[in-house]
Amino acid sequence: MKRKPAFTLIELLVVIAVIAVLMGILMPALTAAREQGKRAVCLSNLKQLTMAWVMYANENNGDIADGDVGYSADVEANWWIKWPVSKAWTPLSAEDITEEQWLIAITKGQIYPYCSNPQVYRCKNAPAQYKVTYAVVDSMKGTADWGDYGNYDRLRVTNINKIKRPSERLVFLDESPPTPGTWGVKYATPSWWDPPPKLHNGGTTFSFADGHSEFWKWSDPRTAKVVFDRSEPEQRDNIDLQRVQKGVWGKLGYTPGEEAP
């Protein structure tokens, strides 16, 4: 009887090697495509939240929603969303927040009537326990004074009609995991305050007061090393930092390259 042809061991190893090489080539491309898909959803979420933010202002004589989310058990208070627990100055502990409480936090927010899909309030890249991953920047009716952070009340925007160059002014960003209150960066010195988010392949997504959204990838290696640490040194000539400071405050409060007073 004739034997049926079969793979030899050498041929089998060659096939396995070829498959391994193909997988090595295709996996990064598939990972990149998957990240681009999630990023597109995130940008869409931010655009929807910002349009809701704009509609709220248009129906309230230009007054914008309170950017600083409250930190108390009173879920009746009005903020763009309302955290149902007190976690001031520490990252929110997801273990302390039930899914029902997350939903209450969203539905009690000022912009919820204009954006009533809870799925829009979180990025798909975020850990599952976080149901809200977006934050408002300090300048948009957010935190005015955090001690040594500096009193920036004169720079805060409370009315949408007062925003100059709305296509350049940041409103929301994807900040996961979320930090307390609004997200901030310093104005008068070349320094971060809250750490720059890096959830999207070394960058994050932002929305602007005119309603559009963008992905910003960090380019300065120092940006990637910033953590939630108030002792972070100044980062002079960091183009990532300057770009964010201009987007948050509208301008730099210092001259790049010069020593701070």
Side-chain angles (χ1 to χ4, degrees):
M1 296 179 62
K2 292 183 179 181
R3 289 186 177 181
K4 293 182 179 179
F7 283 116
T8 65
L9 179 59
I10 298 299
E11 291 172 330
L12 184 59
L13 291 175
V14 169
V15 170
I16 293 173
V18 170
I19 292 174
V21 170
L22 291 174
M23 290 294 291
I25 295 172
L26 293 175
M27 286 304 294
L30 292 173
T31 300
R34 184 161 53 246
E35 164 55 26
Q36 287 180 352
K38 290 181 178 180
R39 189 187 306 162
V41 173
C42 188
L43 289 168
S44 175
N45 289 347
L46 285 170
K47 185 175 180 65
Q48 292 179 68
L49 289 173
T50 308
M51 293 309 298
W53 180 85
V54 170
M55 287 189 286
Y56 173 88
N58 289 341
E59 293 191 5
N60 288 275
N61 300 313
D63 291 336
I64 61 177
D66 294 309
D68 194 355
V69 296
Y71 287 92
S72 74
D74 177 16
V75 295
E76 296 299 327
N78 284 327
W79 281 270
W80 86 270
I81 62 133
K82 173 63 188 170
W83 297 117
V85 292
S86 178
K87 287 289 174 186
W89 285 115
T90 60
L92 291 176
S93 175
E95 290 74 16
D96 295 337
I97 308 176
T98 66
E99 189 161 347
E100 181 181 3
Q101 287 176 314
W102 282 110
L103 184 59
I104 292 174
I106 294 170
T107 58
K108 293 297 182 180
Q110 289 174 312
I111 70 170
Y112 179 74
Y114 310 94
C115 184
S116 56
N117 180 2
Q119 298 300 317
V120 173
Y121 291 73
R122 75 176 296 273
C123 172
K124 288 184 175 295
N125 270 357
Q129 63 264 38
Y130 296 114
K131 305 304 179 186
V132 175
T133 63
Y134 301 113
V136 176
V137 299
D138 276 355
S139 59
M140 295 299 168
K141 206 171 183 179
T143 302
D145 192 354
W146 281 124
D148 64 344
Y149 181 33
N151 190 341
Y152 298 153
D153 190 58
R154 63 187 175 85
L155 298 171
R156 293 169 70 240
V157 175
T158 60
N159 191 290
I160 197 170
N161 299 316
K162 301 294 184 181
I163 300 175
K164 298 179 181 179
R165 305 184 306 278
S167 63
E168 301 175 12
R169 296 299 303 274
L170 301 175
V171 179
F172 288 94
L173 78 157
D174 183 8
E175 186 208 19
S176 178
T179 57
T182 43
W183 187 88
V185 64
K186 291 191 177 184
Y187 166 72
T189 60
S191 309
W192 300 94
W193 181 251
D194 288 323
K198 313 172 189 73
L199 193 64
H200 288 281
N201 193 26
T204 195
T205 50
F206 290 95
S207 71
F208 297 76
D210 69 342
H212 85 279
S213 57
E214 295 180 7
F215 166 68
W216 287 5
K217 185 174 178 63
W218 308 128
S219 58
D220 192 304
R222 293 173 292 177
T223 305
K225 298 177 182 179
V226 177
V227 295
F228 198 81
D229 182 0
R230 300 302 179 221
S231 64
E232 283 285 349
E234 293 184 351
Q235 295 189 355
R236 298 192 175 280
D237 300 316
N238 183 334
I239 60 174
D240 295 332
L241 174 60
Q242 292 175 16
R243 188 183 189 191
V244 171
Q245 287 177 310
K246 290 176 183 177
V248 172
W249 301 112
K251 59 182 179 178
L252 296 180
Y254 60 92
T255 301
E258 290 187 1
E259 291 294 328

